[in-house]
Every structure is written in structure tokens, then in C-alpha cells.
């Protein structure tokens, strides 16, 4: 391994500082004693204490969690199914169009996704609330799940499923007992990705949320307009922690699975 | 032989287990199986042999249910199998790529099919242990497929397909990754299993020896067609075409023009002095080989103590000692006649054809050729082990002069590559009964290649 040159070291430091300094400041100030966000007055965890007593924030947090869990789970099921069909089904008319369309939410500006969903919900007369947020989040995170899962499925050896069928499995059993356990790491990282996306979404949620249900990002956003309070710093720190754990877990799972796959392939080559 | 030969394909009353009826399989424009009709019978060991990409795996996948024929029907036990999905067929397949479940241990891989059948835990465990023992995988039962070697993986795949004891077992190159010893042992195990369970096997192999060892019939394929399906012996000894002769084993192919033979008997067109020269050796040989008269053969005589023991003790228990040695019953007249013609190289069987194969060379005498081929271009196929090689001109129906170009030492055999007068290279194989130093034929030697008038097969394409 080559040692880092001073140039590389500097650019690395600057790059990471650029990325993480704002977050670091936020985290540090969440432990500030003072009510003034920009003046350091000593270490304290009191804002975390007041946060727990703030019902509005807690309600919003609870809604956010529910939305994230439910929508990412539905998105995982639907996204995996879509990936299976798109990777597996032989050629059918308009296949390329379909597989292109599943990726549309990835590139569509969120404002447009949110606006169109809002128009839809108004059109069919669905009251805005937790249900509409879940539907909206499912719609756009499903695309991410399907991308993650289908990239795993293209390298999946179909003869494994054939072997399962040959040994007496029904198609569903073959999927449940062979395919799913093998692609599980991809499905889990898809779920985690959907979960974190839902957790920090502001734009789509603000279009589809109603007075009966507000998510945490919306709550933070609206209270910021009245001035930044250290309470929000504390809340943001917690969210950063959750997202970080999610992302790191997802990447670890993927990494381990790909390492094992490499080991399998290496072993297979040595036949 | 008292045993009745297993040849259901010759029995008009036998009901085939599998029937291919005008089966064609196309992948887009590409024809993988080309309008094939053939039968496989119950308890057969049917080997598919052919170059890579000729459609062997495709044939199996259609039987297992992973591919549907584009045209034609496949019957299993008289029933069209098209409506049955793979999991509803009493057929198991061992995949060429093994297709082991990577997330399951060796034990669970083997148990997978048994569990689907809803067998009891004890039954499953007993069967899995049996399979592990059979494939010698006991100590790897707990490992995952990526933790074992290639050959071990192949055995797991084999064990998994055997575990359900299906009516029809499809093995796609089941033993390719095994070492010679283990392969042979497994071949015998397979034959044993087949004898015990009556399973019908269809097996793909690239190893001709394996096909010859295990198969009841061998089907040689080329480009989606079965060129010839017959017993290993017929395939080897009497291939129906140049392709089959060339594909199975080593063969010398000599092209020429056929001419009907006239006259009942001919003598070898031997040069007199050469014949004389060869005589003493021939005489020696016949003395060695022909069964000497029984009376001349010496019987081992007991020594003094043995004689004493015999006279005083054994005689009363075992009876008197026979002085005459044990001997085979005298040959029947037919047998002795055959032996006489066989041991007399100068008498050549009548009939057949001669083949003019090179300018200025005596034509080859082939008594088993069809005289109807006269005037046509034919190919004489000769197995290397049917050719003799000697420094002196032998007394044989056919003797061709040539020069040794190369000698390949194969352990128990040596193959001599000999260039004939017209530049044709032939291979002759000889058993290495003598040590290397004592063998007298070496590179660049002038030698005679000889073969009997019945040694070859005439192919007319
Ligand atoms: N799904 C498919 N699509 C298109 N072509 C195919 C497909 N499967 C097989 N083929 C073609 O059909 C031909 C026969 O293939 P098959 O797998 O039966 O060969 P094989 O005899 O088993 O060869 P090998 O000895 O190398 O395993 C090959 O030329 C192959 O390219
Ligand atoms: Mg194959």
C-alpha cells in the first residue's frame, strides 16, 4: 500500500470536513447547556430531556416510525416482486419500457412526485393523513428496492430453482426455500434503504401529510421557521444516529454477502 | 452363457419407458434437437455421448420438464409428459453445474427432496446417512457447499439426485470431477444401485470408457441427432458410420474402392522367403499357445515325505491320488474346426471384398465386407489394438509395410504411429508385456503392420 501524500491527505480532510462538519456542529450543539444555539455554555443532556416531554415532537416521531416501517415493508414486497418479474420473465412486449419506467421515481424531482400524488389523493377523495404518507413513500421507495434486488437477481443461478422444482417443490416453495434465502441480503438492504428514505423525506411528506398526521421532518422544518432550538439539535442527532446505523448495517450485509459469493465463485472455479 | 441378455430394444413386446416421437427443440432459429424418435426401456442404463453442444443437456432438460419440445411428444410410461411440471414428474436430475443450494449444508441438500415428500424425520435421516455413506461424504455432512472441494460437490449433487430413488434418473456428467479410482468405484455403485432399485438411468458423459463400462446402450449424438444407439460392444466393434467409429475410441480409417472377392479360399499373398523366415517364430508361438496334449503335460510329483503322508494317511480320507491332471472336456468338432482356421493364418475366410487403397499396394482383404459395395468408395475402420506390428513380414491376410514415426507409452499399452507407403499414418497398439529395454521396435524402424481379414469394419459413407 502506498502512503498518503500530503496532497491526498489534505483533499481527503477537506472533502470530509465539507461533508460532515455541519453535522458535527449540530451534534455538538445538541449537548449545549445554553438556550442560544450559537453560544457554547458547557456540556449537558438537558435538551434530550425536554425533547422527551415535548408531545408534539413525540407524536410526529411516532408517525414517522410507523410510516417508515409500514411503507418500507410494503415497498420491499412490491419491489422484490417487480424485480423478479423484470429479471425473470422472458421477453414480452414493452419489457424495456417497463424496466425503464420502474426507475422513473429515482430520477423524478420529488416535488413533482409529491404534487402528482397530492392531485391523485384529492382526485379520489382520500383524506390526507398517515395512510396517504405511507402510500406515497411506498411508491417512491419501491423503485429503490427493485433496483437493489434486481441487481442481485441477475447473477442468481436459475438452475438452483430448477433443482428445487426437480426435487418436488412447488414454484412458491422453491422461491420460499431457495431463492429468498439466497437473495435475502439484497432484500434486507433494500428494506433498510427504503426505511431511511422514508425516515428523512420532507418534500413528498409535506405534500401528502394532512393535519391529522405530521412526520418528524415536517415538524422540524416548521419549528425552524420560529428559530432554531437546541431541542431540534437533539432530535436531529437522534435521527442521524438511526440513519447511520441503518446505512452501515445495510452496507455490512451487502459486503458480507458479496464476500461470501466471491468465496463461492472462487471455490467453483477450482473444480 | 446361461444368463439371458438384457436387450429389451430387440424385444417387440417390451414396453418402452420413454418414447421420443419426432421431437424437435428449437431455440429461436437454432435447432438443438432435430426431429428425434427413439425409445428408452425400463432398467436401461442409457448413455448419451457426443461433442460439446450437440444437445445432450437439452435432451435431459426436456425429460426433466425444464424445456418443452418445440414439436413432437415425449411419452413416459405411455403418457404424454407435456402437461406435467417438473415437480410432478417421477424424474430426478443431476445438473451439470451441480446446482447445490449454497445456503444449506451438505446434509440438508441431500435431505431437501425427501423433506418435500413429507417423510418422517427418522426416515429422512436414515436415507441421508445412507447416501452420505454411499458417496463417502460422512465427514462433510455439516459443511456448506462452498467449504468442500469440486469432486466432493459433485458427489453431493449425485447423492441429492439419488436420494429420492426416482423411476428415472438423469445424470448430466455425474463423475467428471472425480479421480480415476473414485470414479470407477462410483460407476460400480451406480450399476449396483440400478440392479437393486431397477431405476432407469440416462447419463451424459464425455468419458467413453465410462459409457462402455456402465451403459446398456450408448447413443452417439452429433448436432442434435442421435447417429447410432446401440450396445457398447456394437458401437465399438461395428460402428455404423465413419463419425461413430471416429468418435468412439481410437481408430484407423483407410479409404479405398471396394471390389468383390472371387474364389472360395485364397492363401495369403505372402512372399515365400518371408513366410519361411517367419515360420520358426510362428511354430514357437503355436507350441506356446496351443493346448499341448494332456498326456505330455507333467503332473507335479510329491516328494518323499508327501508320498509317505499320502500313502499312510490322506489316502484313507481323501481317496487315491489322481495321476492324470484335470483337463477341459475335449472340444466339439465345430470348435476344433474354428480353432484350426483361426490358428492357421494362411487360410483366409472366403467371401467379402478387397479394398484398393493405394497405388502399387496390394489390396486389403476384408472377408466381412458386403460384396454389394463393389465399385463404391468405402472406408475400412480398424481399431489400433487389432493391428499387429512386427519387424519381419508376418503371415496374415493383410500386411502393410511402414516406418515407425512415434511411439506413445501408455503404461500398460504402447501405441506405435506408423507411416505407410502412401504416407497414411496408422496407429497400432501393443500390450507392454515386456520391459522397455527388451522391446525391439524403435523409432525409424521399418515394420510390418498386419491385420486379419475380419479385423475391420467396412463403412460406406
Ligand atoms: N436456452 C438456450 N437458448 C439458446 N440456445 C441454447 C439454450 N440452451 C442450449 N442452447 C444451445 O443448444 C445447443 C445444445 O446445448 P446443450 O446444453 O444441450 O449441449 P450439450 O450437448 O449438453 O453440451 P456439453 O457437453 O457442452 O454440456 C448448444 O449449441 C447451445 O448453445
Ligand atoms: Mg451439457
Amino acid at each position: 500500500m502506498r502512503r498518503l501524500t500530503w496532497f491526498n491527505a489534505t483533499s481527503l480532510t477537506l472533502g470530509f470536513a465539507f461533508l460532515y462538519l455541519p453535522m458535527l456542529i449540530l451534534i455538538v450543539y445538541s449537548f449545549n447547556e445554553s438556550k442560544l444555539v450559537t453560544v457554547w455554555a458547557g456540556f449537558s443532556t438537558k435538551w434530550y430531556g425536554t425533547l422527551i416531554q415535548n408531545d408534539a415532537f413525540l407524536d410526529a416521531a411516532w408517525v414517522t416510525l410507523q410510516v417508515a416501517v409500514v411503507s418500507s415493508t410494503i415497498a420491499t414486497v412490491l419491489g422484490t416482486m417487480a424485480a423478479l418479474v423484470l429479471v425473470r420473465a422472458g421477453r414480452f412486449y414493452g419489457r424495456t419500457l417497463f424496466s425503464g419506467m420502474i426507475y422513473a421515481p429515482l430520477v423524478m424531482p420529488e416535488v413533482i412526485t409529491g404534487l402528482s400524488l397530492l392531485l391523485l389523493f384529492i382526485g379520489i377523495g382520500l383524506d390526507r393523513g398517515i395512510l396517504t404518507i405511507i402510500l406515497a413513500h411506498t411508491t417512491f421507495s419501491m423503485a429503490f428496492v427493485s433496483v437493489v434486488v434486481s441487481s442481485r437477481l441477475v447473477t442468481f443461478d436459475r438452475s438452483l430453482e430448477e433443482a428445487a422444482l426437480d426435487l418436488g417443490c412447488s414454484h412458491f416453495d422453491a422461491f420460499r426455500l431457495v431463492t429468498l434465502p439466497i437473495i435475502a441480503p439484497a432484500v434486507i438492504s433494500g428494506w433498510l434503504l427504503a426505511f431511511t428514505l422514508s425516515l428523512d423525506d420532507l418534500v413528498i411528506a409535506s405534500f401528502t401529510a394532512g393535519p391529522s398526521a405530521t412526520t418528524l421532518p415536517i415538524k422540524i422544518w416548521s419549528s425552524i421557521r420560529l428559530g432554531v432550538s437546541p431541542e431540534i439539535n437533539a432530535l436531529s442527532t437522534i435521527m442521524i444516529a438511526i440513519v447511520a446505523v441503518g446505512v452501515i448495517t445495510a452496507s455490512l450485509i451487502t459486503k458480507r454477502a458479496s464476500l461470501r459469493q466471491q468465496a463461492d465463485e472462487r471455490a467453483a472455479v477450482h473444480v | 452363457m446361461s444368463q439371458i441378455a438384457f436387450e429389451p430394444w430387440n424385444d417387440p413386446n417390451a414396453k418402452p419407458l420413454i418414447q421420443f416421437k419426432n421431437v424437435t427443440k428449437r431455440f429461436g432459429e437454432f435447432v438443438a434437437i432435430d426431429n428425434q424418435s427413439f425409445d428408452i426401456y425400463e432398467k436401461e442404463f442409457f448413455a448419451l455421448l457426443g461433442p460439446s453442444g450437440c444437445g445432450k443437456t437439452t435432451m435431459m432438460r426436456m425429460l426433466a420438464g425444464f424445456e418443452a419440445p418445440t414439436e413432437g411428444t415425449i411419452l413416459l410410461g405411455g403418457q404424454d409428459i407435456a402437461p406435467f411440471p417438473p415437480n410432478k414428474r417421477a424424474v430426478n436430475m443431476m445438473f451439470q453445474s451441480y446446482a447445490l443450494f449454497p445456503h444449506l449444508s451438505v446434509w440438508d441438500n441431500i435431505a431437501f427432496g425427501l423433506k418435500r415428500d413429507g417423510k418422517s424425520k427418522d426416515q429422512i435421516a436414515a436415507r441421508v446417512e445412507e447416501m452420505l455413506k454411499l458417496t463417502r461424504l460422512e465427514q462433510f455432512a455439516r459443511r456448506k457447499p462452498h467449504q468442500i472441494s469440486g469432486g466432493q460437490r459433485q458427489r453431493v449433487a449425485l447423492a441429492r439426485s439419488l436420494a429420492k430413488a426416482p423411476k428415472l434418473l438423469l445424470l448430466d456428467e455425474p463423475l467428471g470431477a472425480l479421480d480415476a479410482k473414485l470414479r470407477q468405484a462410483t460407476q460400480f455403485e451406480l450399476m449396483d444401485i440400478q440392479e437393486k432399485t431397477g431405476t432407469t438411468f440416462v447419463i451424459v458423459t464425455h468419458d467413453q470408457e465410462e459409457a462402455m463400462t456402465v451403459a446398456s446402450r450408448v447413443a452417439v449424438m452429433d448436432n442434435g441427432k442421435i447417429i447410432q444407439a446401440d450396445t457398447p460392444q456394437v458401437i465399438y466393434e461395428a460402428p455404423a458410420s465413419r463419425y461413430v467409429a471416429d468418435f468412439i475410441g481410437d481408430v484407423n480409417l483407410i479409404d479405398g474402392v471396394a471390389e468383390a472377392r472371387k474364389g472360395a479360399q485364397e492363401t495369403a499373398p505372402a512372399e515365400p522367403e518371408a513366410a519361411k523366415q517367419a515360420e520358426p517364430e510362428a511354430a514357437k508361438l503355436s507350441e506356446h499357445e496351443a493346448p499341448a496334449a494332456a498326456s505330455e503335460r507333467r503332473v507335479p510329483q510329491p516328494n518323499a515325505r508327501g508320498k509317505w503322508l499320502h500313502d499312510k494317511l490322506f489316502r484313507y480320507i481323501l481317496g487315491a491320488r489322481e495321476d492324470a491332471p484335470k483337463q477341459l472336456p475335449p472340444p466339439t468338432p465345430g470348435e476344433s474346426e474354428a480353432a484350426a482356421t483361426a490358428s492357421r493364418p494362411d487360410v483366409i475366410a472366403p467371401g467379402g471384398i478387397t479394398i484398393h487403397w493405394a497405388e502399387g499396394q496390394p489390396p486389403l482383404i476384408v472377408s466381412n465386407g458386403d460384396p454389394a459395395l463393389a465399385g463404391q468408395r468405402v472406408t475400412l475402420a480398424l481399431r489400433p489394438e487389432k493391428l499387429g506390428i512386427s519387424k519381419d513380414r508376418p503371415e496374415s491376410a493383410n500386411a502393410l509395410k511402414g516406418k515407425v514415426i512415434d511411439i506413445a507409452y501408455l503404461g500398460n499399452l504402447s501405441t506405435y504411429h506408423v507411416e505407410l507407403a502412401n504416407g497414411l499414418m496408422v496407429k497400432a497398439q501393443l500390450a507392454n508385456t515386456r520391459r522397455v529395454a527388451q522391446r525391439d521396435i524403435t523409432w525409424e524402424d521399418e515394420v510390418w503392420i498386419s491385420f486379419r481379414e475380419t479385423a475391420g469394419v467396412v463403412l460406406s459413407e
Side-chain angles (χ1 to χ4, degrees), chain B residues 50-245:
Chain B
S52 186
C54 68
K56 305 179 295 289
T57 301
T58 307
M59 204 85 108
M60 295 217 163
R61 288 174 60 81
M62 287 198 289
L63 277 171
F66 303 126
E67 305 279 3
T70 318
E71 281 159 32
T73 45
I74 303 173
L75 306 183
L76 182 68
Q79 207 176 8
D80 186 358
I81 51 173
F84 294 97
N87 50 343
K88 295 280 180 343
R89 297 186 185 184
V91 176
N92 281 148
M93 175 157 170
M94 176 188 161
F95 289 71
Q96 194 170 8
S97 60
Y98 312 157
L100 299 179
F101 306 127
H103 59 298
L104 299 179
S105 67
V106 167
W107 202 98
D108 286 319
N109 261 285
I110 298 173
F112 192 90
L114 300 170
K115 285 182 183 162
R116 302 283 82 68
D117 282 355
K119 290 219 167 68
S120 80
K121 267 214 166 86
D122 296 341
Q123 272 175 311
I124 293 174
R127 183 71 181 157
V128 173
E129 294 303 329
E130 197 181 330
M131 289 296 117
L132 286 171
K133 204 162 150 214
L134 179 71
T135 46
R136 301 182 204 174
L137 286 166
E138 291 108 321
Q139 74 249 55
F140 306 110
R142 291 284 142 220
R143 297 220 197 148
K144 293 276 177 70
H146 70 267
Q147 295 166 325
I148 57 179
S149 79
Q152 288 159 354
R153 249 174 269 161
Q154 194 167 39
R155 271 137 67 198
V156 178
L158 183 62
R160 189 178 67 177
S161 62
L162 285 172
K164 286 184 84 169
K167 210 158 81 174
L168 173 61
L169 196 52
L170 310 170
L171 306 176
D172 203 343
E173 288 195 44
L175 313 175
L178 305 185
D179 60 88
K181 270 248 168 73
L182 189 56
R183 183 185 307 200
Q184 212 165 42
T186 316
Q187 282 167 4
F188 284 117
E189 283 299 347
L190 286 181
M191 291 196 281
D192 205 42
I193 290 171
Q194 203 230 16
E195 219 153 85
K196 270 191 224 141
T197 61
T199 305
T200 307
F201 282 74
V202 179
I203 178 171
V204 169
T205 171
H206 279 297
D207 180 353
Q208 297 167 10
E209 212 174 299
E210 182 169 298
M212 297 282 160
T213 313
V214 298
S216 62
R217 277 191 301 164
V218 175
V220 179
M221 290 185 69
D222 185 30
N223 269 333
K225 286 200 178 91
I226 292 185
I227 307 288
Q228 188 178 3
D230 233 315
T231 59
Q233 203 174 350
V234 172
I235 291 270
Y236 189 79
E237 301 280 346
S241 63
R242 205 186 156 110
Y243 178 81
V244 174

